[in-house]
Amino acid sequence: MYQKLLIAIDPEDDGEGKRALETAMEMLAEGGELHLASVYSPGGGGFFPYVTEEAPEDKEAAVRETLDQMVQKYLPKNSHANLHVIAGNTGEKLLSLAGQLCADLMILVSRGSSGHWPLRRATVEYVSVNASCPVLVLPSLEKANDPPE
């Protein structure tokens, strides 16, 4: 059982959040701390990185609201989770947060090289190799349910 669990969640993937939260609740010690983290990119793209479609504070509020909805939806009523919404490089920010929290375990869900996030696998590998705590990488539900070829 772990005292401090950090779960990295993509707020756009409800199934990922459900899977990670269910796994965490099985591994969390009674009275332990559960932390949910989502890292978003604050800037725009292209030649004008200072021009964004959405203000950073609006983006942060939207991500926080989605995480809060996941907590209400998938955690038992007597459970609590600390939410962390951070702007920046995903791998670096997750490692920094894990160190600040003195996390016992970090949980990630990997989609591998499939899906619409081609850099996702690189982030999971970077975090797994450089984390100051053990990292549990869960396969995505889609990947886990795919029939063998």
Side-chain angles (χ1 to χ4, degrees):
M1 299 303 242
Y2 294 91
Q3 290 297 323
K4 287 188 182 181
L5 289 178
L6 173 59
I7 305 173
I9 293 186
D10 176 358
E12 296 180 12
D13 191 336
D14 192 66
E16 176 181 308
K18 178 181 180 187
R19 177 169 174 123
L21 286 167
E22 287 174 349
T23 300
M25 292 311 296
E26 293 173 6
M27 302 177 83
L28 187 64
E30 189 173 328
E33 293 178 24
L34 182 60
H35 297 267
L36 274 61
S38 187
V39 182
Y40 69 94
S41 175
F47 293 105
F48 303 102
Y50 51 86
V51 177
T52 62
E53 296 175 10
E54 189 175 18
E57 55 274 0
D58 293 340
K59 205 177 236 188
E60 179 180 341
V63 171
R64 186 173 298 280
E65 181 178 337
T66 302
L67 289 180
D68 189 48
Q69 289 171 356
M70 280 186 193
V71 166
Q72 292 176 20
K73 193 173 178 181
Y74 297 122
L75 283 185
K77 295 292 181 207
N78 60 349
S79 300
H80 170 74
N82 299 295
L83 305 181
H84 305 272
V85 180
I86 308 162
N89 175 283
T90 304
E92 292 173 3
K93 294 299 180 177
L94 288 174
L95 293 177
S96 176
L97 181 59
Q100 290 171 11
L101 296 172
C102 298
D104 297 326
L105 177 71
M106 188 183 323
I107 298 176
L108 307 171
V109 178
S110 174
R111 291 187 206 122
S113 59
S114 64
H116 64 279
W117 288 60
L119 296 177
R120 182 74 174 227
R121 184 168 64 177
T123 300
V124 170
E125 183 176 334
Y126 176 79
V127 169
S128 298
V129 169
N130 294 294
S132 59
C133 64
V135 177
L136 174 61
V137 181
L138 302 171
S140 71
L141 291 175
E142 295 162 5
K143 191 174 183 181
N145 292 332
D146 284 346
E149 295 180 17

